[in-house]
Amino acid sequence: MRPAVVLVSGGMDSAVVLAIAREAGFAVHALSVRYGQRHTSELDAAARVAQALGAVAHKTVHVDLRSIGGSALTDDIDVPTDADGHEIGVGIPSTYVPARNTIMLSVALGWAEVLGGTDLFCGVNAVDYSGYPDCRPEFIAGFEALANLATKAGVEGSRFRVHAPLMRMSKADIVREGLRLRVDFAQTVSCYQADADGRACGHCDACRLRAQGFADAGVADPTRYA
């Protein structure tokens, strides 16, 4: 089994991606990043998901993005909600964390190179999402090109590949794929401001997109709400 590094946030999308990588025959090394997010119950969920879905290893790396701020997820900025009149997909919301996916994929790339692997997996999506610039196909293609230019393995002839299997899927499609792969969505936490027990607010973009995805799939969402 070839090693692959899978970014696992604790949310539903990354859980499905981990299951997809397992089904594809990879020895999954799950990577979570404590980047200074204000709400960390998602990291507890990431550990549960990695264990439940058979990751051969799970590592949490610390990167202090709170020290630079600039996001409602790391700084003292209110998370936008439907109660504020916030519309999903209109502009780039304040929950965008500057360069977050670039940084997390860079850490994953480093671990993959150490493991002798050339496959990275992430759960970015460009269909039902909040409008982040680092969730687009152009970003994934650009990072893959960088990976093959900026590493010893790449320069010596290895070919890194960044897999984003959910890129073109709707949230409903992701729910259906997760059910097919026997993902226990009750173990995941999607909310941008979940409490310490992982209970969701029900009003942020992440909660609204998740709820709509389950509704469109005709499946009950096991999310617990505060």
Side-chain angles (χ1 to χ4, degrees):
M1 296 176 69
R2 291 179 295 152
V5 177
V6 180
L7 287 174
V8 179
S9 67
M12 60 175 286
D13 292 355
S14 64
V16 173
V17 169
L18 195 159
I20 288 171
R22 276 290 315 279
E23 184 182 53
F26 289 98
V28 170
H29 292 68
L31 176 67
S32 303
V33 180
R34 184 181 293 271
Y35 58 84
Q37 57 267 60
R38 291 158 57 190
H39 307 282
T40 58
S41 55
E42 65 179 13
L43 293 172
D44 297 329
R48 295 193 299 268
V49 166
Q51 182 175 19
L53 292 177
V56 300
H58 176 229
K59 185 187 297 291
T60 300
V61 173
H62 296 245
V63 179
D64 183 16
L65 298 185
R66 183 168 175 79
S67 65
I68 64 173
S71 169
L73 301 190
T74 60
D75 212 337
D76 297 324
I77 302 169
D78 290 339
V79 171
T81 66
D82 53 355
D84 305 324
H86 170 65
E87 294 183 40
I88 296 174
V90 177
I92 299 173
S94 62
T95 49
Y96 163 69
V97 180
R100 177 179 59 179
N101 284 348
T102 303
I103 291 165
M104 293 196 297
L105 277 172
S106 296
V107 177
L109 175 62
W111 194 17
E113 191 170 24
V114 169
L115 293 169
T118 56
D119 293 275
L120 312 178
F121 283 79
C122 62
V124 297
N125 175 269
V127 179
D128 290 335
Y129 78 124
S130 295
Y132 300 154
D134 53 3
C135 286
R136 298 173 300 149
E138 297 90 339
F139 166 72
I140 295 300
F143 190 90
E144 187 173 280
L146 177 149
N148 287 296
L149 288 171
T151 56
K152 177 177 182 289
V155 168
E156 292 181 347
S158 296
R159 179 71 188 173
F160 285 97
R161 185 177 176 198
V162 182
H163 304 261
L166 310 186
M167 181 64 78
R168 303 293 186 185
M169 297 172 67
S170 69
K171 267 287 192 281
D173 290 335
I174 294 168
V175 170
R176 296 185 188 102
E177 180 71 350
L179 293 176
R180 183 185 71 81
L181 293 167
R182 300 180 183 275
V183 172
D184 181 1
F185 286 115
Q187 296 186 348
T188 65
V189 173
S190 299
C191 181
Y192 288 149
Q193 48 188 356
D195 67 15
D197 295 321
R199 293 177 297 185
C201 74
H203 299 283
C204 67
D205 284 4
C207 281
R208 293 158 67 192
L209 288 166
R210 175 175 174 139
Q212 189 63 53
F214 275 89
D216 290 346
V219 179
D221 183 358
T223 292
R224 295 176 298 120
Y225 291 98

